[in-house]
Structure formats: structure tokens, C-alpha cells
Amino acid sequence: MRIVRALQGLTLTVGTCLVVLLAAPAIAQQSTSMKQVGMVRTGEGTFTIDVEGADIRTVVKAIAEFSGRNIVVAGGVKGTVKASLRNVGWQEALRTILRSNGLDYVEEGGIIRVDDASRLQAEAVDRETARAKQVDLAPLETRVVKLNYANASELSGSLAASLTRRGNIQVDRRTNSLIITDLANVVDSVEKMALSLDATTPQIEITAKLMDVDAEALRDIGIDWNVGEENLDPLTSPVPLQPGNDPEQSLTARLIKNWGSLAARLDMLEQNRKANIISNPRITTVDNREAKIVVGQKIPLIVQDVAGNPVSQLQTIGIQLKVTPHLTEDKKVIMDLHPEVSDLSTQSTVQGGVIINTAEADTRVMVDDGQTAVIGGLIRTNDSMVRRGVPFLKDIPLLGFLFRSNTNVRQNRELIIFVTPRILASMSTN
């Protein structure tokens, strides 16, 4: 028994020595390639290498040892490396060294394969061609997606970019549906995208109040848009009006802090016939959809068509207000405003054409739900003639001019626009 135990101990000792002896060459072999090319680790994932005429297979093997990645080199790869790199990552070094020799690499399933760059590129083209042929032969699927809130015609353009070249989207206006035809997986993704975009669009009520005020009387009560006022917070810098108007004229949008105080002063002007309400319209629109308010009249104008023939065209004269609201995440309302005021000029062109005086501007304001923004600075000059005289006597033919007088009056009128957006509750909530 003692002899058996002694033999077992001897065998274990000999085996251990053999393992140590075999492991030592393996460890030495692991760092042989790095030593051959003079590769020195300089940091986490970086090294320095300086070689002159080294075999490219040895350099690639050294990079494999450094990175711990599996790298396979094709049989026909040959070449020498002349490089001096300092503190570079192994991927950048491998890519640079390979491309300097007309080579490249691809990663397939965690293994890096090195081969001629043209051969790898041809393989990629072949794979893409095979995939395209597979797509061309795959069966198509058609699905109908009914939308509840979004407009199918508007949504189809955005979704068409996600289809393959064999796919298409048709719109059924009667049912507001999308008819999607494409590969099954593409149809699934496009349908999911369409349903995510088909969300309830908030509705916003726009209340506008348009007032025509005597500009001098407005300043007499202490309201000056360009200077500022205690009840008004500036929303935007003064916006110059379009060319063709008074160069000193500018549009200013402000936020009303105390509506009651400002309304009382405007009511006083209205009672003294210094101001009058032109219109007080109310319109409802959805988020990001333009709402248009027009107060005026359409007059026919004679214009020429392409062939030079005179044709009649209707032109809107008066006040136009375009509002495009946008609701933010924190329930604020951003409004793109485009006010425009136009009227006929007393002058005419050389050919006898009509001249239309126009004042317009574009501005953007942000207010809270229910807050009022006021737009001022649209000033017009009205010329009128006032006849005064003794009743009855001023109307006597030939002698009436002795009992009457005519006075030309020039008055500056300012158009003030109050815009109040209100977010409407959804139908489901109601």
C-alpha cells in the first residue's frame, strides 16, 4: 500500500512539472508577436508600435494578442508594414495598417476576417444583391389602417418614406383610411407608426377683438406701444412693417397683465367716440392649423392674364388676421400672427390703375391659456372733409357758401388687435 501511494505521489509531481513546462512556452508564445513588432502598451486599449518592413501577418497577430479578439487572415494576404504609431487604439491601428496595403476587414459573428479590400467589397455587393432579389421575390401584404383623428392624405406622405421600392400607400378619402401594400414586416412597422401619429389633436379657440382708436387719444391716456406701459409686458421686439408704409411705423406685440384696467380706458375712449369696435370674431381651430379672420370687402379689379386680355379679379380690402396656434407640453400657446390692413388709396397709377395701401407684419408670441396678447402699432391716416354751417341756410343754392365752411381733417387711426387663445376640453372629457 505504501508503495502504491508513493508511486501516485511521484506521478502527480511529474505531471505538475510537465504542465508548468508546457505552460511556459505558451505564455512566451503569446507575447512573441508583440515583441517582434516592438508593440508597447501605453494605456487602457492603446499601444505604441514602430516597425520597418515587418510581415503584415505578424503585425495582425500582434494586434490580435493585444486586443484579445479572434482575427482570421485570408490565405492570399501578403505584404510588409512600415508604420510608426503612438498611443492609438487597436481598431484604428488595424484599419490604418490594412488599408495602407489595400486590405480591409469585416466582423462576422464576433470574428474579424482580414482580406483584400476589393474582394470584401465585392462580397458586400453580392450579399446586398442577393438580399434585394430575396425582397423582390417575397410576397406582398396589403392592409387597411383606419385613422380616427389624423388626415389620411396628410399622413401618407410622411409614411411613404418608410416603404420599400415595391411598397405603396393609397388613401381612401371616404373612410379616411390608408391602404398599405408592402412586405409583411414593413407593413407592421408602418401601421404601428400610423397609429402612433393618429393621436387626438387639441382644439384651440381663438377670440379676436379688433378696435379702431384715435392714435392721439390713445397716447393721451398713457398707452404707447413702443415706450411700454405698466399693464403690458413686451412679448416681442418691434417688428417693422412691410415696405410701402411709414418707415417709422412698427408692430409691437405685448401681453396684458391687467385686462380690467386697460379695458376701462378703452371703454372711455369708445364712449367719447374716440374708438370703435370693428369686429369681435371667435374661431376654433386645431393645433398647428391656421385660422383666418377677414373683416372687409372684396372689390373687382381689372388685371391682365398671360395673353394680355383684361380679366376681373376680386381683391380683399380691409383687415385680415392669420393665426396658427401651437400647444406646448406645459400648456402654453405659441401663436404665429400675420395681421394685414389694406385700403384703397385716393391716388392712382399713370395708367389709371388702383393703388392699394397695405400694412402687414409677421410675429410670434407665447401666452398662457386664456391670456390676451395685444398687437398695436398699425397706424393709418384718414383724410376727410368736415362741412359746418347754419342749418337750412348752408344748403341754399348759390348763396349757401356764405353760411357754411369746409375743413379738411387729417386723423391718425390706430388698429389694435386683441388675441386670446383658449384650450378647449376634449370631447371625451366633456
Side-chain angles (χ1 to χ4, degrees), residues 1-14:
M1 179 64 69
R2 291 181 179 178
I3 297 173
V4 173
R5 290 180 178 177
L7 290 174
Q8 290 177 348
L10 180 62
T11 302
L12 180 61
T13 303
V14 173

Side-chain angles (χ1 to χ4, degrees), residues 76-251:
V77 172
K78 296 180 181 179
T80 57
V81 178
K82 179 180 179 181
S84 178
L85 304 176
R86 298 285 184 270
N87 298 323
V88 295
W90 69 269
Q91 288 180 314
E92 291 80 2
L94 177 63
R95 185 182 302 110
T96 303
I97 291 172
L98 292 179
R99 291 182 178 178
S100 64
N101 285 268
L103 306 173
D104 208 340
Y105 73 90
V106 293
E107 188 169 354
E108 302 168 342
I111 299 177
I112 297 175
R113 182 164 64 91
V114 176
D115 204 341
D116 186 73
S118 59
R119 186 178 292 108
L120 292 177
Q121 186 176 3
E123 291 178 359
V125 173
D126 292 340
R127 284 195 300 269
E128 190 66 24
T129 303
R131 189 191 66 82
K133 289 182 178 179
Q134 185 178 5
V135 170
D136 290 339
L137 297 176
L140 299 180
E141 179 178 332
T142 300
R143 193 174 305 170
V144 177
V145 179
K146 182 174 176 56
L147 303 177
N148 294 320
Y149 307 105
N151 187 294
S153 299
E154 296 178 353
L155 205 58
S156 61
S158 302
L159 299 176
S162 301
L163 300 176
T164 64
R165 58 186 181 87
R166 295 178 62 195
N168 66 83
I169 295 182
Q170 298 180 359
V171 176
D172 182 35
R173 299 180 184 275
R174 186 180 63 86
T175 60
N176 194 41
S177 301
L178 296 172
I179 304 174
I180 307 172
T181 302
D182 210 327
L183 302 177
N185 61 326
V186 177
V187 172
D188 290 338
S189 61
V190 173
E191 180 185 17
K192 184 178 179 181
M193 188 185 304
L195 294 178
S196 65
L197 294 174
D198 185 31
T200 306
T201 304
Q203 294 190 93
I204 301 173
E205 181 188 64
I206 305 294
T207 303
K209 187 175 184 179
L210 289 73
M211 295 190 67
D212 185 42
V213 185
D214 186 346
E216 296 299 329
L218 196 65
R219 289 179 176 83
D220 289 342
I221 63 174
I223 297 178
D224 190 340
W225 309 114
N226 296 322
V227 175
E229 209 263 348
E230 60 181 0
N231 290 322
L232 302 174
D233 277 341
L235 286 175
T236 63
S237 301
V239 180
L241 298 178
Q242 298 295 333
N245 302 282
D246 185 355
E248 296 182 356
Q249 202 177 155
S250 60
L251 177 144

